[in-house]
Amino acid sequence: MPNDAETQRLLDKVFPVFKNELKAEPITVEELEQLHQRLKTNELLTEVYESFFAKIENILQHVVVPQFWSRFRAKLPQKPSRDSFIQYQHAVKELYDRFAFFRRQLKRLETVCPAKDVPFVHRKLPNEVVVFCSHFHTTLHAQLPDDFNELVYRFYFVAFRVFIYSHSDGEEYMDVAESNRCIACDMTAGDCQCQAIADAFTSTNRYLSMMGILEEIAGYTLNLLIQERIDAKVDETKENYATSHVESLEQWLNTVVMEWLTRIYNKGSLQIHPHHTALQRHIAQMQSKLLFYMYDKYANTIVDQFFQIIINFPMSQSAVDDLKLCLSKINLKRCFVTTVRDMLRERLLHPGVDTPDILTGYVAALKTLAHFDSSTVLLRSITRPIKEYLRNRTETVRCVVTSFTGDGTSDLAEELAKGETEPIFKTSSSDKLDDPDWKNWQPDPVNMAPAALKFIASNKRADIISMVVDIYGSKEIFVNEYRNLLAERLLSQAECSVEREVKHLELLKSRFGESLLHSCDVMLKDITESKRINAHILSPDSGTAEELSGQVSALIVSSQFWPTFRKETMELPTSIKEMFEKYTKAYESYKVNRTLQWTPLNGKVTIELEHNGKVQEMQVTPAQAAIAIHFSEQPQWELDCLSQKMNMPPIVLRKRIVFWQSQGLIRETKENLFVLIDKSTESDVSADAMQAQPNDVCEEEEAESAMESASDQREEELQVFWSYIEAMLTNLDSLPLDRIHQMLKMFASQVDFTQDELKHILQRKVREHKLVYAGGVYQLPKS
């Protein structure tokens, strides 16, 4: 350092940093030139040059930066307030003042120690300003406190609140508004500080930008704050399925949020100069990232409530369209498939949910996902667990068929009423360019299964009916169940609406084909023909009307076209037999060479009961009517005696007696002894119980079908092959399951059942001791 006093005085005046001072006195050009000459004469330029930077680095490290970060460690109020806003503003202003002071010192250094007079090995490269700014930024980062973001967050929170209120309708903060206070700055209306906050906000960001530390200080906090506002904005859309929100969210982000960010990074201005290409790229990148975050957040919000969206479809179609748009912009499809599949499994696939409810959810999911993805790839993947679960429920087929044709409205009935699905106009050949929607053409997914590609190539959209039938993979199962259900309705209803059933049948023909439903056509014709025959037999011209007196009305069916009736027997009372015989004779005289074979357990009987002085008309089953007749002839019966009388197993008879017990007419006095209740032995409570029943129809407690179920019929069909199995095991001693199945398919061409069905037959034979299963093979028992 210089030895003479004048040189030292000039040096301290020009560069107060050597005295650890951060304020400079005004200086003239002559004084700068004079100091330069003195240092050059004494060969001190290099020493002063290097000492200057060493001193600046020391002051930055031990004074300026620690004092700046100390402003961020003060205890803050719980809520963001104007005080924390001012605290951050003052800290940045103080740092900028010192930054500007060092820059002015560097300007003086350029005159006192010009680069041409400093040896190259001692110079700061590429230049002194770059080296200073680099050390300034490095020192700030090196002393960065852990909790500095809290004060930064409060500053930008208050500023964003003021900006929203000033540049939008302010609806986001209406919930905290008071009549005498400003919504944005939370001051009284007369002392509103919004404009002052906006000005301070602009100047503070300008200071940070000029120091080159805006992104380092505020970048993370800005991103966090905006993401919180995006989360809050997206959360407002929850449970509002009927409205599309993508456009409004995009508009809010592209205007309100991006205008705010542009003002921050562009020193308070919305117009970016065309030459500032780096800033334009930075703003565009932030906009792209925030849009991606918004799409991701909104898509996840929709996915989280997708079960409700499925149940409310098509009212929720707008939400499905929004999700489809969001997923086209972000890679979330795999997560979507997994989440929705697990959601449906949790909500539907457990024993606590009835099969009709599961079926309703399944159909709703099919409709929703078919709208979401026309290729049905996601649909099939998501709904596969439901389909497998429904296949294992025994009542699924009946529930599906009931939904097709039952009373009331259902999704499946509506789909059936739409008729055959028409193909969408879509050219599948690449050399055809006449598709009116060619601008929206999309290539087939590269990871799609061949079956799905074939489905798309067929130019058909997802068919809900076909997908429901695909639960079992066979139309025959559903057609057979429909035949059973139709037969039950025709037998159980006294006045069946043939027109309504014909309408259902025609709709089903369009889906399943006429050949499969030919038997149902015959069944409905039997109903019409039976009405005509009954009308003729009971007409005065027939000659038998007086003998029958309208007491018998027969449903005459073509047995080979109707489902198999339950193989149960019952001996009818003599009075009923006589009426049947009269009707049979009348029919034989009308239809020459034909006779009737009665099924006594099927149909309905209208009886008139007189009990304890009260007369009541009821409609019951033939078995119930027979029991009533027997008790009218004899008031007390043992179960075994009545069982022999009616030719009915005791266990079945007991179930049928329960009906009359529930009516208060019969009671079991001791085990297997049933007695007709008399007024003399019982109170009027029993009679009141009987009177409480409706006079038109009294249903049996446990409804029984007159027809064998589809599974029962299937069981009978499979029993035909038992003789083949016995012959195999007789000749080959023992065989495993798969070998038996292969040999049956080889020697019996009509085999169309699976190994699981065969296993069920064989296991039943094992329980009946007709087979022995050991070591994985079946064999006949040794005699």
Side-chain angles (χ1 to χ4, degrees), residues 554-566:
L555 173 59
I556 303 167
V557 303
S558 306
S559 58
Q560 65 269 33
F561 294 99
W562 283 64
T564 307
F565 289 92
R566 287 189 179 274

Side-chain angles (χ1 to χ4, degrees), residues 524-535 556 590-591 594:
L524 292 176
K525 290 178 181 178
D526 285 344
I527 299 297
T528 305
E529 181 68 11
S530 297
K531 290 180 179 180
R532 188 183 64 81
I533 293 173
N534 282 320
I556 303 167
Y590 176 60
K591 292 283 188 177
R594 292 189 186 181

Side-chain angles (χ1 to χ4, degrees), residues 714-726:
R714 181 65 169 168
E715 191 77 16
E716 285 189 14
E717 293 173 4
L718 298 180
Q719 291 300 321
V720 174
F721 299 97
W722 172 239
S723 58
Y724 289 93
I725 298 171
E726 278 188 308

Side-chain angles (χ1 to χ4, degrees), residues 227-241 243 245-246 249 292-310 316 319-320 322-324 326-327 330 332 335-336 339-340 343:
Q227 285 183 2
E228 288 180 356
R229 293 309 312 151
I230 291 175
D231 292 348
K233 197 75 175 176
V234 170
D235 286 343
E236 295 174 4
T237 67
K238 285 185 176 179
E239 299 183 3
N240 186 3
Y241 319 123
T243 306
H245 301 285
V246 169
L249 289 172
F292 184 90
Y293 179 83
M294 186 198 72
Y295 290 134
D296 182 79
K297 175 65 179 178
Y298 185 43
N300 279 290
T301 300
I302 296 176
V303 170
D304 289 342
Q305 50 188 345
F306 206 72
F307 185 80
Q308 288 76 19
I309 290 174
I310 287 174
S316 58
V320 179
D322 282 356
L323 179 61
K324 186 175 181 179
C326 290
L327 292 186
I330 59 177
L332 199 66
C335 177
F336 167 72
T339 303
V340 176
M343 186 182 298

Side-chain angles (χ1 to χ4, degrees), residues 160-171 173-174 182-185 192 194:
F160 190 59
R161 185 187 183 105
V162 171
F163 180 83
I164 290 291
Y165 178 70
S166 304
H167 295 80
S168 67
D169 53 13
E171 291 180 358
Y173 298 105
M174 289 303 292
C182 174
I183 299 173
C185 64
C192 178
C194 288

Side-chain angles (χ1 to χ4, degrees), residues 79-91:
K79 287 183 62 179
S81 63
R82 191 167 178 270
D83 292 338
S84 57
F85 180 91
I86 294 173
Q87 183 179 346
Y88 177 80
Q89 176 197 358
H90 286 172

Side-chain angles (χ1 to χ4, degrees), residues 624 655 658-659 661-663 698-704:
Q624 293 164 354
K655 287 173 59 178
V658 167
F659 171 79
Q661 287 180 282
S662 67
Q663 301 298 315
C698 291
E699 297 294 338
E700 189 174 0
E701 294 231 347
E702 182 182 348
E704 294 183 5

Side-chain angles (χ1 to χ4, degrees), residues 70-79 81 83-84 87 147 150-151 154:
S70 67
R71 305 289 191 271
F72 292 78
R73 295 188 175 94
K75 188 175 181 180
L76 299 172
Q78 291 184 352
K79 287 183 62 179
S81 63
D83 292 338
S84 57
Q87 183 179 346
D147 55 352
E150 184 177 356
L151 184 60
R154 291 167 178 258

